[in-house]
Amino acid sequence: MSLVALFEMIRAMVVAPLSVAAVLGLGMAPQAAAAQGLETASISALPAPRLLFSEREMQLAEAVAHDPGLADFYGSNGLKPVFLGPEGAARRQAVIAAVEQAASHGLPLARYRPDLLAGLAQNGGDTLAEELTFARVFDRWAHDLTGGVLDPQKVDPGIKRKVERPAAGDLLRGLVASDDPAGFIARLGPSDPRYGQLRQALAASAPLVAPPGTPRVPEGSWRLGDSGPAVQALRTRLAAMGFDAVPEASAEVFDAPLAIAVARFQAQAGMGADGIAGPRTVARLNRNGEADPALLVALERMRWMNGADPMARQVWVNLPEFTARILQDGQEVFSTRVVIGKADPEYETPEFSETMKYIVANPRWNVPRSITVKEYLPRLQANRNAVGHLDVVDGAGRVISRDRIDFRKYTASNFPYRMRQKPSDDNALGQVKFMFPNPWNIYLHDTPTKHLFNQSSRAYSHGCIRIGRPIDLAHELLAGQVGNPEATFQKALRSGQESFLNLRQPIPVHLVYFTAFPDADGQIRRFPDIYGRDAQVHAALTASAERAARDSGLDFGDLRD
């Protein structure tokens, strides 16, 4: 390599750290070091960079220069191939075997091109095109298994989940260092047993498809005693799928044998086995070979949470189920009904994970600004004594007399005050709230409005999560944190003052959204897509699969030795 070329590479490195120079591991000029905030002394202590590279190494460096993960790996690996020749055979076979299982993970096979890999493997693997194809497929597979295909925050505004996935370069280094490449790749996916149960459910649901040409069941709801052509179509479609129901009299009558057949189908499909062919059951019966969307979405959501420890003590709130649980070592130790945000984009409870740090007994309610200006300000403009249970508070936290405020001169955009409710029996937050600080000001809390917990669908709040058994939840969360949880909490409660109980061992909180999920016995339970988020995720997964089918992005055919 000429000195001119060397200096050009160093100059390029200053502009773009992932340039060819960076992959080659060339030294930084002092200006480049300063630009990246590195001490010149620490740079000078590094080993002297290589100055001579073969044509093959240069080709490899150029090919991966704009891919951060591959650039990191090959730069640290001395630009040596790891999938070629006899020494790379086990890795090639491990990658092929893994991606052939894509469908069992609910992943589109076209993203990984097993047909292309199998053809390359037969050639023995000796070109850079083959090296980079296997590297790219492994990178893509590892990306998808360790954190999902999609970026959740780009799918729906209510999904705030941050995905934590290992660096691509680290995963490639781990693969190369492993004596068991197939085992290494198999361990990339979520370790949560519920992920395995979802995969089993997906496999079990695959045969539940009627042969092509079988009459579809008309939309509607059919139950014992109904009759007509729709009931006969229901009987025919069930029989075509192996759920025979010999009619007691007429095939057009919904009789007891048909109800039993419907219930058998529902049980195998992971639905409530009530023997009634309602809209959800009819839609499932009419499916034409595609995988169960709810299971596909659930598997993707589990991959988004791959960094969370499934065995840790944690609070798990499944929004569509309207239920909060405490899990310990993967087992439920507490559960309660909850009320969540209304099915309105402004009030929907978001999905995210955070850490609960403290519990507040006798909480004051700091009214969210959105509620203050949209609901309370108009009432105060009509009558300054309205909503008298709330204090008007200035920016310094001082209670301001309403007689000193002309509410009519303010708008929602310039109203300078806050509103706050003192601890009381009718406080909107009840007797306790559970805090896991987050940018959206979402928390769990008690409520004086208890009757809503008797509803089957419980989406009524402004976004925070109301707890059906708040005192019991406080006791359970304090267990292991203090010697006598009940006495500690009751003492704080009897004080009548706002009291903070810090958790010595903070507890992970996961606000999740699963419309299909295993129960304690591994049976899949179904819940309504109350916010329409599953539909959004499924649409994004479908679009991703269609893009993969059109363009694999794995063509390195222009690289030849």
Side-chain angles (χ1 to χ4, degrees), residues 333-346:
V333 296
F334 175 87
S335 71
T336 179
R337 293 185 172 193
V338 301
V339 171
I340 66 170
K342 301 173 186 177
D344 178 311
E346 188 171 350

Side-chain angles (χ1 to χ4, degrees), residues 360-366 420-423 427 429 433 498:
V360 184
N362 302 313
R364 291 184 297 179
W365 181 40
N366 294 300
R420 187 173 66 197
Q421 185 180 18
K422 298 184 183 72
N427 183 286
L429 304 185
K433 68 178 179 179
E498 187 173 52

Side-chain angles (χ1 to χ4, degrees), residues 169-405:
D170 290 341
L171 290 172
L172 271 163
R173 280 185 283 271
L175 175 68
V176 172
S178 176
D179 294 330
D180 178 16
F184 178 86
I185 296 177
R187 291 188 293 273
L188 292 178
S191 61
D192 193 318
R194 295 169 297 185
Y195 184 77
Q197 292 169 340
L198 287 167
R199 290 183 66 195
Q200 292 172 5
L202 183 66
S205 70
L208 297 180
V209 178
T214 306
R216 293 168 63 85
V217 183
E219 293 183 2
S221 183
W222 320 103
R223 65 186 66 209
L224 201 64
D226 289 342
S227 63
V231 173
Q232 184 169 7
L234 171 63
R235 190 184 300 274
T236 301
R237 195 163 183 89
L238 281 166
M241 300 165 68
F243 300 94
D244 294 299
V246 178
E248 295 176 332
S250 169
E252 289 195 354
V253 176
F254 199 123
D255 52 20
L258 183 56
I260 293 171
V262 170
R264 286 172 50 220
F265 169 82
Q266 290 171 324
Q268 193 164 333
M271 310 175 73
D274 58 8
I276 299 171
R280 288 178 59 233
T281 299
V282 169
R284 181 66 186 84
L285 279 164
N286 287 336
R287 188 175 298 155
N288 289 324
E290 71 272 21
D292 187 332
L295 293 176
L296 295 180
V297 172
L299 286 163
E300 175 72 358
R301 289 182 181 280
M302 288 297 285
R303 291 189 288 266
W304 292 345
M305 299 183 68
N306 195 21
D309 179 1
M311 297 296 108
R313 182 171 172 83
Q314 60 192 271
V315 176
W316 180 274
V317 184
N318 190 16
L319 302 177
E321 190 182 0
F322 307 110
T323 301
R325 294 178 171 84
I326 296 178
L327 303 178
Q328 177 75 49
D329 298 324
Q331 302 299 313
E332 177 184 309
V333 296
F334 175 87
S335 71
T336 179
R337 293 185 172 193
V338 301
V339 171
I340 66 170
K342 301 173 186 177
D344 178 311
E346 188 171 350
Y347 300 121
E348 292 176 0
T349 303
E351 300 165 56
F352 63 93
S353 294
E354 254 303 341
T355 303
M356 187 180 294
K357 296 181 170 63
Y358 58 96
I359 298 171
V360 184
N362 302 313
R364 291 184 297 179
W365 181 40
N366 294 300
V367 183
R369 182 168 179 81
S370 60
I371 300 177
T372 296
V373 299
K374 291 181 181 179
E375 298 185 19
Y376 294 149
L377 180 57
R379 296 171 64 181
L380 291 167
Q381 290 171 332
N383 176 8
R384 70 175 60 202
N385 294 315
V387 290
H389 63 293
L390 300 175
D391 291 330
V392 180
V393 181
D394 67 10
R398 298 179 296 241
V399 177
I400 305 300
S401 171
R402 298 180 182 209
D403 294 336
R404 296 172 52 191
I405 304 171

Side-chain angles (χ1 to χ4, degrees), residues 157-171:
I159 306 176
K160 312 295 185 182
R161 185 161 306 286
K162 295 179 181 178
V163 174
E164 299 178 6
R165 66 175 91 237
D170 290 341
L171 290 172

Side-chain angles (χ1 to χ4, degrees), residues 142-166:
H143 170 278
D144 295 350
L145 260 290
T146 59
V149 175
L150 307 174
D151 179 347
Q153 297 190 51
K154 294 181 179 179
V155 176
D156 184 281
I159 306 176
K160 312 295 185 182
R161 185 161 306 286
K162 295 179 181 178
V163 174
E164 299 178 6
R165 66 175 91 237

Side-chain angles (χ1 to χ4, degrees), residues 50 97 283:
R50 288 174 60 192

Side-chain angles (χ1 to χ4, degrees), residues 60-182:
L60 180 56
E62 290 170 355
V64 302
H66 299 290
D67 185 315
L70 297 187
D72 170 29
F73 170 70
Y74 283 106
S76 69
N77 196 53
L79 296 171
K80 296 181 178 65
V82 296
F83 290 100
L84 300 186
E87 59 275 14
R91 296 180 195 125
R92 294 195 300 271
Q93 291 304 318
V95 172
I96 293 172
V99 302
E100 286 177 342
Q101 300 299 312
S104 73
H105 291 272
L107 294 169
L109 199 60
R111 277 181 66 80
Y112 317 105
R113 295 292 303 277
D115 54 336
L116 174 62
L117 296 183
L120 294 178
Q122 288 179 354
N123 297 334
D126 60 2
T127 69
L128 285 183
E130 292 165 315
E131 169 72 20
L132 291 173
T133 299
F134 274 95
R136 181 62 55 82
V137 170
F138 170 78
D139 183 31
R140 184 173 290 180
W141 179 259
H143 170 278
D144 295 350
L145 260 290
T146 59
V149 175
L150 307 174
D151 179 347
Q153 297 190 51
K154 294 181 179 179
V155 176
D156 184 281
I159 306 176
K160 312 295 185 182
R161 185 161 306 286
K162 295 179 181 178
V163 174
E164 299 178 6
R165 66 175 91 237
D170 290 341
L171 290 172
L172 271 163
R173 280 185 283 271
L175 175 68
V176 172
S178 176
D179 294 330
D180 178 16

